[in-house]
Amino acid sequence: MENSFEALITSYIETKVGISENFLSNELANSLKQNLLALNQQNLLIVAGTGNSEVIAYDNAVRSDSIYWLDKKHNNEFENAFFVQIEAFIAYLNESCFTGITGYEFHYSLYEKGDFYLQHFDQFQNNPSRKYSMISYLNDNWKPEDGGELLIHQENSNQKISPTQGKTIFFKSDELLHEVLVTQNTRMSITGWLKCD
């Protein structure tokens, strides 16, 4: 577990984008994916907006995915296992990098064929509590022609990241402009933020 934590931190320090190829075990990723698909079948996902609860907008010309917020109150064994992993990473991050993270929030994200999310930052103008963004992917057998890459804009170059299962991405929420390119296949992830409330 600590190896995947160190991979996130080391690559983040080197390139401003932390990447761990196996932050989630294949077993946990598969279980979370099946849970997401079941929630979708029950029509429990909601249209994703932009902004926070104080100022939220819905525009499918900007963002077209659907989401479902994870919550310990659900008492779902797979969500809880994910929370255990995140809490262990936060403890490791705070101890090794003195980041002072005090909380987190995560949701499932489902992109159907043709969905996308245009360029954006993850920190709200009216609330700076989101410090780091994390995305864990749940897509096995993902092929280049499936699209749906995370495109991160940096000063000297852009970075395209394929949403392959088990991979987790980590970056500062207010620092990097990023987008989700149009997907040609059903694309699933858990997306969230490490916060200082």
Side-chain angles (χ1 to χ4, degrees):
M1 189 182 292
E2 285 193 3
N3 286 343
S4 63
F5 295 172
E6 197 57 40
L8 279 179
I9 293 169
T10 301
S11 50
Y12 166 77
I13 290 169
E14 290 173 354
T15 68
K16 297 186 179 179
V17 181
I19 301 178
S20 170
E21 295 291 340
N22 56 358
F23 184 84
L24 296 183
S25 69
N26 203 46
E27 181 182 9
L28 180 55
N30 279 328
S31 297
L32 289 164
K33 176 171 55 185
Q34 293 308 315
N35 193 48
L36 170 52
L37 290 170
L39 291 165
N40 189 46
Q41 282 189 330
Q42 298 169 57
N43 296 313
L44 292 175
L45 274 67
I46 60 172
V47 173
T50 55
N52 59 13
S53 58
E54 295 172 27
V55 182
I56 191 163
Y58 298 94
D59 184 350
N60 64 7
V62 173
R63 178 181 189 179
S64 52
D65 60 317
S66 299
I67 65 170
Y68 179 89
W69 288 97
L70 278 66
D71 195 317
K72 285 187 175 179
K73 292 177 184 174
H74 299 156
N75 201 27
N76 178 277
E77 63 177 307
F78 308 121
E79 291 180 24
N80 287 344
F82 176 78
F83 290 143
V84 166
Q85 180 91 339
I86 291 297
E87 288 166 4
F89 176 63
I90 289 172
Y92 189 87
L93 184 67
N94 283 342
E95 184 177 336
S96 59
C97 301
F98 309 104
T99 49
I101 299 301
T102 57
Y104 57 83
E105 58 184 2
F106 284 89
H107 61 65
Y108 287 117
S109 188
L110 177 70
Y111 289 75
E112 302 285 8
K113 183 177 180 180
D115 285 347
F116 58 90
Y117 192 171
L118 297 184
Q119 295 180 22
H120 62 283
F121 291 102
D122 278 351
Q123 193 179 81
F124 302 125
Q125 291 183 349
N126 65 344
N127 184 344
S129 64
R130 289 179 175 177
K131 300 304 179 185
Y132 295 94
S133 302
M134 289 189 75
I135 309 159
S136 294
Y137 294 113
L138 308 175
N139 310 295
D140 58 348
N141 301 314
W142 197 260
K143 305 176 187 67
E145 58 266 29
D146 291 330
E149 296 96 340
L150 178 69
L151 179 60
I152 297 181
H153 300 266
Q154 300 221 43
E155 277 185 26
N156 299 321
S157 64
N158 293 335
Q159 183 175 3
K160 263 189 192 180
I161 299 169
S162 180
T164 52
Q165 180 157 300
K167 182 187 294 179
T168 291
I169 312 301
F170 171 74
F171 56 91
K172 254 191 127 180
S173 298
D174 66 346
E175 190 170 65
L176 296 179
L177 192 65
H178 57 284
E179 61 186 298
V180 176
L181 301 180
V182 176
T183 185
Q184 302 302 324
N185 206 338
T186 301
R187 176 191 189 275
M188 293 169 281
S189 66
I190 296 179
T191 299
W193 301 274
L194 308 186
K195 304 172 71 176
C196 292
D197 292 316

